[in-house]
Amino acid sequence: MPSVGKPLPHDSAAGHVTGQALYLDDLRTFDGELHVGFVGSPVASGELFAVDVAPALAVPGVVACYTAADVAGHNVFGLIIADEPFLAEEQLLYLGQPVAVVAAQTRAALEQGRLAVQMEYSETEPLLDLEEAIRSERFLGSRLRIARGDVEGNLASAEHRLAGTFTSGGQEQFYLESQAAIAYPGEEGQLVVHSSTQSPTEIQKVVADVLGLGQHEVVCICKRMGGAFGGKETQAAIPALMVALVAQKTGRPARVIYNKDDDMRVTGKRHEYLTRWGVGFDGEGRIQALRCDFFSNGGASTDLSPAVLERSLLHADSCYYCPHVEFNGRICFTNIPPNTAFRGFGGPQAMVVHENILESIAQLLGRDAYDVRLANLYGVGERNVTPYGQVFDKNHLPEIFATLAARSQYKGRQKEIANFNANSRLQLRGLAMTGVKFGISFTTKFLNQGNALVNVYTDGTVQVSTGATEMGQGVNIKIRQLVADEFALDPSCVVMMPTSTEKNNNTSPTAASSSTDINGAAAVRACQKIKRRLAEFAAERLADTEAGLQASPRQIDFVDGQVIDSRRPQVKVPFAQLCSDARRQRVDLGARGFFATPGVDFNRETGRGTPFFYYTQGAAVAEVLVDRFTGQLRIPRVDLLIDIGQSINPGVDRGQIIGGFIQGMGWVTTEALVYGERGELLSYSPTTYKIPVITDVPTEFHVATFDSTDNVQNIRRSKAVGEPPLMMGISVWAAVKNALSYVQPNRCVELSLPATGEEILRCLTELSQVREQSESTMRVE
Ligand code: MTE
Ligand code: HPA
Ligand code: MOS
């Protein structure tokens, strides 16, 4: 019985609720294991003159204390540009930046040791403000650009013009398992590192490079993560380096587990963005020319910022065609931890700019924003070429928009809301539909590859290893289903093994929503190799030359745990029996599969190409209720419709859709990163940093998938689901903007993101002041 398409439980669903699924800190302590922690920079910006570790070493129980001077290899690393120090050298770049690593026999000794380390340093004025960074041109890397047509000319000739500046705040990944790593020494200087990482290969490489080892001397293992959301694509490196350094130097096992507060304070997050935009459009709201200058807050080192910004430029069109476009991007240096990947990877920051522009156009023209969106939506067969030249074929958005508008009774409710708002002095309602067209593939071409190792045993059971890491998103159960179906086995016969660089080399991070696409396809290829060998063996065995049936491997089928010759299906061999016999005949029952996404290519220099294998598409309608006196926000109803092709696991995918949407909703409403003047993060724990909770789930919540079968190029006609739903959360922000538009008709509301209670109240106050002024002067424009 095929298992693909069935909502099988997540591979550790039972383990998660019973506590049997182990996370790093659940692993039993090793003999002689050391507790590891770090001492962070006391200032956001300054110079480090000296570190005195002697007082720390004098603390009983403290075994070691290391600084940059103790690093045997390169102390600087970075995936795109190697500009991030592992331990601070002369420059202090952000508050809490690791300066020294302390290892101790007990947690208490570790805490005492950390306090005892002495530093000599100077403090300089930190650069914290994005606008200040732009003014002083403190940029990381070079400018990115994607452009088409004549923007200046068409801005000038357009019937209407609008311009503005849009800001969106950063976001903490808020994985429940903090950054964590364990390392222990092997023989001859080798190291094993267990890391809560999305990228074991990256950890292996960085550890080898920083510690002066060959990659062959380091093994990195990741069984699972307690969430990552992009926050462990690169940021798992520093904790892994800390324990690797201690293990290398002391010859003892070492463990670091960040506490939540430290984790929030010292690790990178979603980039804050400031975008200057200008748009020209006609009386229908159809955009003729669009220009956006994106400035991202990169923090103190490059990290993944260029790739994130690149994805922003590739998503600045959102779901809408525009003939004349110019998108520019720059990364700003500031004295905060290096910002990094977060679900959507720069897509959300750019898409929300476009959705904001469409809401503004609608408000200015006094038209319904849905109609303005339809006027701009990518077409089918026409108006379907993206600014970077990729044709957006298999565009389901027109149908998705129409279907969702009908199902959610968008038009009727918008009328009802207008009536309500006209008569309510206490509350405002708002409604908005926004779309998602998310490009699937790493925009860095070479990352679109994966390999898998499949081992079949003589009892007909299977172990599968790939480069994919499980972070809760369900990649394990999906690959298990794919493999089970290849051999026509029950999924219970297949086990997903911990991700390890020993079995899968040179792998890409589990990211860009494409881990099942890539690793699932690689696993299936490995299965097919084994099946070809088994088919040859079975063909001989099931042939009946007397009856004139020659051996024919192509007639061999795998059905329901049996192997048959399709010409005589009543004669069967159980899969297990065949495997056992095959081994006796020295048939190889293991294979490696390799997959490289075909056809993707993007030229950074020209801003042209086909960066994406396909697009995951969807739309969301959100209704909000705003308290006119406090700015408090509630979400009475949300409708989602998303095209994820033929789902491999509808249960897991539904979880991804709902979870992604709610996480996006948190970004646009309540999650505010607040920094103090010294660059200290003030909202560093759940008491002050507000992620959505169960009571924030929309009262009425309709979640549906759009049935499409045309994604033939991808594994089992499925589509990636991990990140796209996050951007459906933008509908909530747009609905707030829509609600505010009722205060003062034909005036654009300058609402920034997140639309917290304070921000909404600020807008309400501003709008009512404008209203009073215009009422008192009775000006007619
Ligand atoms: N879902 C859970 N439960 N936990 C996570 O950390 N990360 C998201 C998404 N869904 C995440 C998640 C991000 S950022 C990505 S890129 C994808 O999962 C990665 O996994 P995939 O490629 O298997 O979709
Ligand atoms: N998405 C996620 N992670 C990445 C990407 C991307 O496009 N490129 C490099 N790392
Ligand atoms: Mo996801 S941001 O690509 O890890």
Side-chain angles (χ1 to χ4, degrees), residues 348-546:
Q349 292 97 317
M351 288 164 63
V352 74
V353 168
H354 206 306
E355 296 292 355
N356 172 54
I357 291 170
L358 292 170
E359 287 290 332
S360 293
I361 291 174
Q363 288 171 17
L364 190 90
L365 296 176
R367 299 177 71 93
D368 189 314
Y370 175 71
D371 296 331
V372 172
R373 286 190 168 87
L374 281 193
N376 287 288
L377 201 63
Y378 274 110
V380 176
E382 45 145 32
R383 289 172 58 90
N384 69 344
V385 183
T386 60
Y388 43 94
Q390 176 159 1
V391 175
F392 178 28
D393 56 359
K394 301 181 185 171
N395 174 11
H396 299 303
L397 287 173
E399 207 183 330
I400 290 174
F401 269 56
T403 309
L404 190 63
R407 279 194 201 162
S408 65
Q409 294 127 6
Y410 177 94
K411 285 277 170 172
R413 280 163 70 205
Q414 194 63 268
K415 276 207 196 86
E416 194 193 308
I417 284 171
N419 277 335
F420 175 91
N421 288 341
N423 297 310
S424 168
R425 294 189 56 82
L426 300 177
Q427 291 170 316
L428 280 171
R429 284 163 68 191
L431 187 72
M433 182 188 301
T434 59
V436 173
K437 160 186 136 289
F438 195 71
I440 302 302
S441 291
F442 290 92
T443 61
T444 305
K445 181 178 172 179
F446 83 89
L447 292 175
N448 295 294
Q449 61 171 309
N451 65 70
L453 173 67
V454 174
N455 288 336
V456 174
Y457 296 91
T458 51
D459 61 354
T461 61
V462 187
Q463 288 183 341
V464 185
S465 308
T466 76
T469 52
E470 177 63 55
M471 57 190 101
Q473 88 280 35
V475 64
N476 278 355
I477 183 65
K478 289 185 181 179
I479 295 182
R480 190 180 195 180
Q481 287 171 277
L482 290 169
V483 168
D485 274 15
E486 281 306 307
F487 293 118
L489 295 172
D490 189 89
S492 63
C493 301
V494 181
V495 167
M496 297 303 298
M497 302 308 287
T499 312
S500 164
T501 58
E502 196 174 8
K503 290 170 294 175
N504 302 101
N505 63 338
N506 310 331
T507 61
S508 298
T510 302
S513 303
S514 53
S515 80
T516 300
D517 293 13
I518 292 173
N519 297 281
V524 164
R525 289 196 176 171
C527 295
Q528 286 166 346
K529 284 188 189 171
I530 298 170
K531 277 169 67 180
R532 275 198 291 275
R533 296 181 208 136
L534 280 173
E536 270 187 30
F537 178 66
E540 291 294 338
R541 181 170 164 158
L542 295 174
D544 187 348
T545 33
E546 274 168 33

Side-chain angles (χ1 to χ4, degrees), residues 225-262:
M225 286 161 276
F229 305 108
K232 295 170 180 173
E233 186 171 335
T234 57
Q235 305 264 321
I238 289 182
L241 285 167
M242 290 178 185
V243 289
L245 176 66
V246 170
Q248 184 191 44
K249 293 260 177 197
T250 64
R252 293 169 67 168
R255 177 182 312 226
V256 67
I257 312 288
Y258 282 20
N259 68 42
K260 190 71 194 168
D261 293 2
D262 281 348

Side-chain angles (χ1 to χ4, degrees), residues 303-374:
D303 195 273
L304 289 167
S305 296
V308 170
L309 185 62
E310 180 166 272
R311 186 168 281 272
S312 295
L313 299 198
L314 291 166
H315 284 78
D317 58 338
S318 190
C319 302
Y320 312 100
Y321 177 77
C322 178
H324 305 277
V325 279
E326 181 179 339
F327 301 141
N328 298 302
R330 294 242 61 162
I331 302 154
C332 297
F333 170 93
T334 59
N335 290 106
I336 61 170
N339 281 323
T340 192
F342 192 145
R343 206 171 193 172
F345 206 76
Q349 292 97 317
M351 288 164 63
V352 74
V353 168
H354 206 306
E355 296 292 355
N356 172 54
I357 291 170
L358 292 170
E359 287 290 332
S360 293
I361 291 174
Q363 288 171 17
L364 190 90
L365 296 176
R367 299 177 71 93
D368 189 314
Y370 175 71
D371 296 331
V372 172
R373 286 190 168 87
L374 281 193

Side-chain angles (χ1 to χ4, degrees), residues 288-308:
Q288 189 63 19
L290 172 64
R291 187 193 159 124
C292 295
D293 294 319
F294 296 97
F295 297 93
S296 73
N297 187 342
S301 321
T302 303
D303 195 273
L304 289 167
S305 296
V308 170

Side-chain angles (χ1 to χ4, degrees), residues 729-751:
I730 293 171
S731 60
V732 176
W733 184 90
V736 175
K737 177 144 170 154
N738 174 255
L740 292 171
S741 74
Y742 285 97
V743 181
Q744 181 71 338
N746 297 79
R747 234 196 114 81
C748 295
V749 183
E750 299 293 339
L751 174 71

